[in-house]
């Protein structure tokens, strides 16, 4: 059989492509060879920050490189996100964020400062958890059905707290308003602790929060958990029904955390990061913590993260438009 001889120009093109591919492969194999900066667009001490630090520590132990968690809060997470957006796509500046900042935040600002998918390299969702629909202990509503009936009897009179405008809890409560056909008033607070304290004190009537953060207060009798905003019950509170079970369908809302790189990060580095985060989240200690928090370990593929964000953008865009929610 005669040898296949390529034209000179094609040989040059193939050689050039191989010349680019080999350094990229070597770079990914060598990654990381210096410290990694993990930007969290929220203050220290919150749930996103906590998981960032736990995962950062494990990455550091495995890769023998320092992982620095850098908190850059502000503007519904946009400040920290934009830092990573403008960083070099070499895998040494990463974003550990939640959908409150990555998906909801850009929808509230016109024009949006970034596209949550196109301007980043999605790596993996880490965990997600449904919102916990909570009411003040003194409120005469022992179920979602009773709450909806009360709200319809007193339109515009019941109010709810949240950690701030555009937060996951804010939009989850507005989703309940839309699905149940009720009218309640939003009272934003500066953080989870004051928002929860307001409910415990009876200053507001209800809120949507995480199971892990709220269940101790429920067990202490300082508030009542009526439902979870999920497709199925949470293992952390198995006796609490879903909103759909209680006659309020269409209320499915989650908060999730995930890892992103700047746009243009190589597939090889992205996949290496995703595989390592998945390994970490499969460890028994992480699974046990997630179960206790009422969270579900995901650690899925970049493609599944993109699909989830696309679906969420459609849902939250509808809620924001319907309720005319604007950034302040």
């Amino acid at each position: 059989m005669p040898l296949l001889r390529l034209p000179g120009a094609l040989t040059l093109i193939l050689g050039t492509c191989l010349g680019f591919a080999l350094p990229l492969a070597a770079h990914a194999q060598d990654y990381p060879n210096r410290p990694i900066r993990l930007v969290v667009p929220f203050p220290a001490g919150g749930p996103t920050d906590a998981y960032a630090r736990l995962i950062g520590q494990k990455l550091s132990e495995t890769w023998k490189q320092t992982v620095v968690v850098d908190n850059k809060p502000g503007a519904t997470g946009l400040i920290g996100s934009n830092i990573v957006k403008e960083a070099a796509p070499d895998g040494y500046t990463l974003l550990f964020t939640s959908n409150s900042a990555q998906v909801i935040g850009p929808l509230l600002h016109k024009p949006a400062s970034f596209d949550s998918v196109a301007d980043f390299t999605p790596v993996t969702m880490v965990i997600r958890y449904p919102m916990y629909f909570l009411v003040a202990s003194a409120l005469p509503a022992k179920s979602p059905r009773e709450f909806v009936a009360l709200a319809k009897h007193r339109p515009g009179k019941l109010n709810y707290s949240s950690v701030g405008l555009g937060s996951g809890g804010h939009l989850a409560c507005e989703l309940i308003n839309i699905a149940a056909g009720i009218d309640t008033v939003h009272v934003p607070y500066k953080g989870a602790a004051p928002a929860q304290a307001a409910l415990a004190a009876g200053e507001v009537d209800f809120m949507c929060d995480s199971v892990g953060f709220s269940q101790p207060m429920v067990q202490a009798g300082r508030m009542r958990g009526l439902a979870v905003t999920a497709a199925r019950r949470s293992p952390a509170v198995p006796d609490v029904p879903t909103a759909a079970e209680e006659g309020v369908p269409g209320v499915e809302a989650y908060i999730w955390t995930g890892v992103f790189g700047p746009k243009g990060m190589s597939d090889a580095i992205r996949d290496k990061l995703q595989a390592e985060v998945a390994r970490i989240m499969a460890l028994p200690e992480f699974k046990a913590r997630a179960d206790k928090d009422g969270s579900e370990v995901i650690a899925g593929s970049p493609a599944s993260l993109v699909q989830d964000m696309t679906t969420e953008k459609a849902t939250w865009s509808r809620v924001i438009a319907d309720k005319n929610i604007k950034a302040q």
Side-chain angles (χ1 to χ4, degrees), residues 30-162:
D30 188 46
Y31 173 85
N33 57 23
R34 55 188 171 88
I36 295 172
R37 181 189 186 192
L38 194 57
V39 176
V40 177
F42 301 105
T48 305
D49 175 72
Y51 273 97
R53 293 179 185 277
L54 289 168
I55 290 174
Q57 180 183 348
K58 288 294 183 182
L59 289 174
S60 181
E61 291 172 1
T62 301
W63 286 341
K64 311 303 180 186
Q65 293 292 340
T66 302
V67 177
V68 179
V69 175
D70 189 4
N71 297 91
K72 294 293 182 182
T76 324
L78 300 187
I79 290 175
S81 299
N82 276 310
I83 288 172
V84 177
K85 174 178 173 283
E86 301 300 328
D90 54 12
Y92 291 95
T93 302
L94 302 171
L95 180 66
F96 196 98
T97 188
S98 77
N99 54 338
S100 294
Q102 193 68 10
V103 177
I104 297 172
L107 298 176
L108 293 171
H109 294 79
K110 302 297 181 185
S113 62
F114 60 78
D115 184 288
S116 57
V117 175
D119 289 334
F120 294 85
T121 299
V123 176
T124 184
M125 187 185 293
V126 176
I127 61 162
R128 74 172 187 176
Y129 56 86
M131 302 306 293
Y132 198 11
F133 181 55
L134 303 145
V135 299
S137 56
L139 199 73
K142 303 298 192 294
S143 71
R145 294 178 192 272
E146 291 181 7
F147 177 85
V148 170
L150 181 65
K152 287 184 175 179
H153 182 67
R154 299 165 57 186
K157 300 298 183 182
L158 300 184
N159 57 15
Y160 66 92
S161 62
S162 81

